[in-house]
């Protein structure tokens, strides 16, 4: 059976996606971790006009509408006012990080990504009796957060909770994009089946969720550099991505004690996507 990420690769080529598809495949795989205990969030970096929004918007089209919340921007505290279950097991996509960025970082964002919950309390004055009352707002995860930014660095406490990727801004890549745009302009075909197929795959993934056993998890733990400050968080991200890839291909995986057993291919794919 054709590898699901290869099907994504073919679909991207059919809609004139230019250059390497690795970042797109990583985003799609990360989108499936919205159902995991430790979802994987992605920060897409690049200069203005570099294609970071095009990358994000393209991958979002492969995710079912009901499984995503997409915003051009968002103010710092608006996350907690979206509703308690508004983001649960969804992809939250924010086109520009600037509204959430501040010198101290974003504590609500950190809480949502690390603890699967963000809670905010405000005190207001009752207009009738002038007494002060407390109001609470809560939003719960798990949620996979996708954001773009033109900044080379954001607050480390925020960025450490995400995988940062950078779009290719080379002259060669720009030429590929220009040529793809030229072909697309003259062709003008609408390829809706490519999006529909992967959206249905995402729905099947959710329907067939199972526990995953990673027999080489200890080997990964032994091989990781413990001098790296964020090693604990990155270990969780690696396991979640391996879990997602194994579940995506579970019909080709061993089932043992009602758990899908991840194989070497699951590790190799994730390792190759994360290597840069």
């Amino acid at each position: 059976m054709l590898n699901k990420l290869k099907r994504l690769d073919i679909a991207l080529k059919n809609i004139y996606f230019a250059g390497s598809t690795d970042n797109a495949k990583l985003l799609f795989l990360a989108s499936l971790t919205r159902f995991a205990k430790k979802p994987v969030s992605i920060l897409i970096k690049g200069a203005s006009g570099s294609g970071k929004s095009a990358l994000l918007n393209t991958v979002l089209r492969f995710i079912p509408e009901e499984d995503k919340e997409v915003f051009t921007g968002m103010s710092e505290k608006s996350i907690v006012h979206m509703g308690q279950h508004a983001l649960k097991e969804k992809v939250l996509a924010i086109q520009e990080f600037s509204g959430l960025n501040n010198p101290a970082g974003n504590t609500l964002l950190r809480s949502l990504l690390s603890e699967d919950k963000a809670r905010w309390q405000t005190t207001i004055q009752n207009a009738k009796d002038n007494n002060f009352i407390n109001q609470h707002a809560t939003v719960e995860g798990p949620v996979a957060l996708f954001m773009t930014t033109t900044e080379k660095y954001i607050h480390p406490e925020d960025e450490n909770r995400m995988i940062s990727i950078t779009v290719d801004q080379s002259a060669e890549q720009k030429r590929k994009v220009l040529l793809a745009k030229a072909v697309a302009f003259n062709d003008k075909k609408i390829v809706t089946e490519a999006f529909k197929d992967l959206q249905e795959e995402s729905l099947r993934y959710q329907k067939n969720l199972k526990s995953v056993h990673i027999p080489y998890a200890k080997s990964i733990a032994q091989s990781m550099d413990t001098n790296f400050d964020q090693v604990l968080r990155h270990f969780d991200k690696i396991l979640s991505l391996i879990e997602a890839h194994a579940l995506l291909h579970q019909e080709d995986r061993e089932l043992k004690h009602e758990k899908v057993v991840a194989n070497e291919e699951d590790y190799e794919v994730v390792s190759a996507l994360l290597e840069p």
Side-chain angles (χ1 to χ4, degrees):
M1 183 173 291
L2 184 63
N3 182 289
K4 306 294 174 59
L5 291 187
K6 289 182 179 177
R7 283 167 54 192
L8 175 63
D9 191 75
I10 293 171
L12 289 166
K13 297 299 184 183
N14 285 338
I15 58 172
Y16 312 107
F17 189 90
S20 171
T21 59
D22 282 356
N23 281 342
K25 286 187 279 192
L26 177 59
L27 278 166
F28 181 75
L29 198 59
S31 76
L32 299 176
T33 68
R34 62 188 183 272
F35 306 110
K37 292 180 180 179
K38 298 288 185 179
V40 175
S41 296
I42 307 287
L43 180 64
I44 308 169
K45 296 180 176 181
S48 179
S50 61
K52 58 188 183 301
S53 293
L55 168 64
L56 176 59
N57 290 332
T58 298
V59 175
L60 288 174
R61 295 183 70 180
F62 293 102
I63 301 172
E65 289 297 324
E66 62 269 28
D67 286 350
K68 61 189 177 188
E69 294 288 346
V70 184
F71 298 93
T72 303
M74 183 177 286
S75 62
E76 182 182 353
K77 299 180 180 64
S78 60
I79 288 177
V80 293
H81 296 289
M82 295 180 67
Q84 185 172 355
H85 302 296
L87 297 177
K88 191 175 182 65
E89 296 183 340
K90 289 187 178 183
V91 171
L92 170 62
I94 304 174
Q95 298 284 1
E96 180 47 57
F97 182 63
S98 57
L100 289 168
N101 202 8
N102 62 65
N106 191 293
T107 55
L108 294 175
L109 183 68
R110 296 174 199 166
S111 180
L112 179 61
L113 297 185
S114 296
E115 311 300 330
D116 284 341
K117 179 185 288 187
R119 194 163 185 260
W120 184 259
Q121 176 177 296
T122 57
T123 302
I124 63 171
Q125 191 171 20
N126 192 315
K128 293 182 178 180
D129 56 18
N130 291 326
N131 289 328
F132 289 94
I133 57 174
N134 292 327
Q135 287 189 338
H136 304 274
T138 302
V139 63
E140 295 181 357
V143 58
L145 174 67
F146 295 169
M147 292 194 301
T148 68
T149 183
T150 55
E151 302 293 332
K152 290 185 178 181
Y153 306 100
I154 65 172
H155 194 283
E157 286 298 327
D158 296 332
E159 187 164 349
N160 289 346
R161 286 165 170 79
M162 295 179 272
I163 293 176
S164 295
I165 61 176
T166 303
V167 294
D168 186 353
Q169 302 172 64
S170 66
E172 180 184 1
Q173 171 63 13
K174 291 175 184 176
R175 184 70 63 195
K176 290 178 181 178
V177 172
L178 289 174
L179 291 170
K181 284 177 176 287
V183 174
F185 180 86
N186 285 322
D187 196 345
K188 288 185 168 59
K189 68 178 180 181
I190 301 174
V191 189
T192 56
E193 289 302 315
F195 300 116
K196 184 179 178 181
D197 178 47
L198 270 299
Q199 286 178 8
E200 290 175 351
E201 195 62 60
S202 185
L203 293 173
R204 282 192 292 271
Y205 179 97
Q206 181 178 3
K207 183 180 179 180
N208 298 318
L209 281 175
K210 295 181 179 67
S211 296
V212 173
H213 175 66
I214 304 176
Y216 45 80
K218 285 185 177 180
S219 296
I220 299 174
Q222 288 283 1
S223 68
M224 294 194 73
D225 180 6
T226 52
N227 293 314
F228 177 53
D229 291 341
Q230 288 78 44
V231 64
L232 299 181
R233 287 179 181 147
H234 278 60
F235 181 68
D236 289 337
K237 294 179 179 73
I238 291 170
L239 296 185
S240 290
L241 289 168
I242 291 172
E243 175 186 47
H245 193 271
L247 284 174
L248 189 62
H249 302 89
Q250 62 178 277
E251 64 270 25
D252 297 322
R253 300 294 181 266
E254 178 187 358
L255 190 65
K256 188 174 182 180
H257 304 304
E258 298 186 355
K259 289 185 176 183
V260 174
V261 181
N263 64 16
E264 290 183 10
E265 180 188 356
D266 301 313
Y267 170 77
E268 289 168 357
V269 169
V270 170
S271 180
L273 293 175
L274 292 179
E275 187 176 6

